[in-house]
Amino acid sequence: MDAQLKILGPEFSTFVRSVMIACEEKGLNYRYGMKVNDQQVKLGDETHLKYHPYGKIPVLILEDGRSICETAAIIRFIDNEYPGYELFPTDLFARAQVDQWANLIGIYIDQAFVRKFLLEFLFPKGEDGSVRMDKVEAAIPEVNRAIATLTKQLDGQDYMCGDQFSAADIMLAPMLDYLARHPKGAELLAEEVKLLAYLERVRQRPSCQKVLI
Ligand SMILES: N[C@@H](CCC(=O)N[C@@H](CS)C(=O)NCC(=O)O)C(=O)O
């Protein structure tokens, strides 16, 4: 594939990673980072706001300059536009299920795993840069609820929406991978045999091996 796509956003972002995995699944050529046309873009600056009205990453910028924001929409576009492994099933109800789970993961699972829990460790906002352990403790019930939600959904199937790896797994993989790599997250996942087996299955995919490093 010759397409030279640009993903606006740093590679450590979970949502950027999801878009990278989608590109890998399709065998697409892509770059990532916070530069557009050799100009550094800052989160929320004027240039960024032209691409995303709320100053979020990722944004997918096409070769002709057109762009798409919001991770689930980007992944859907990539799937519709490019040949290769299909990230959504063809059956309309099954497609809606993948959309449903991509949204649930992009909103609620992200809040529980990433925004309220992991970011407390990665960007500590306590006095003198300390981790706000009260916030971490307060976040744990939501992490556990998210783990239970995902475990229930995985009952009797290999992936989030059946036996095929889909866009829903692409949304989840970077978040779950980060949670499992963090010592405190690993503690919360320690007894979650089904979810850990799922994570290992997903990590084995060549696309994820390239991105989840
Ligand atoms: N709904 C957005 C969420 C994207 C998002 O929250 N991205 C984070 C990075 S992982 C971000 O832009 N954070 C910067 C900020 O909120 O200022 C999507 O699905 O793309």
Side-chain angles (χ1 to χ4, degrees), residues 6-33:
K6 167 81 201 207
I7 304 168
L8 181 66
E11 71 74 46
F12 61 77
S13 148
T14 50
F15 287 115
V16 169
R17 288 182 164 208
S18 292
V19 175
M20 290 166 70
I21 293 171
C23 289
E24 293 288 348
E25 287 289 338
K26 295 287 186 178
L28 299 173
N29 240 331
Y30 62 93
R31 290 170 296 135
Y32 53 81

Side-chain angles (χ1 to χ4, degrees), residues 10 12-16 19 43-44 48 52 54-59 69-74 102 106-107 110-111 114-115 119 171:
F12 61 77
S13 148
T14 50
F15 287 115
V16 169
V19 175
L43 274 181
H48 190 189
H52 193 301
Y54 291 92
K56 301 286 180 190
I57 46 117
V59 174
C69 65
E70 290 295 294
T71 308
I74 295 170
I107 298 169
D110 169 62
Q111 280 295 321
V114 182
R115 310 291 129 198
L119 290 187
M171 291 292 286

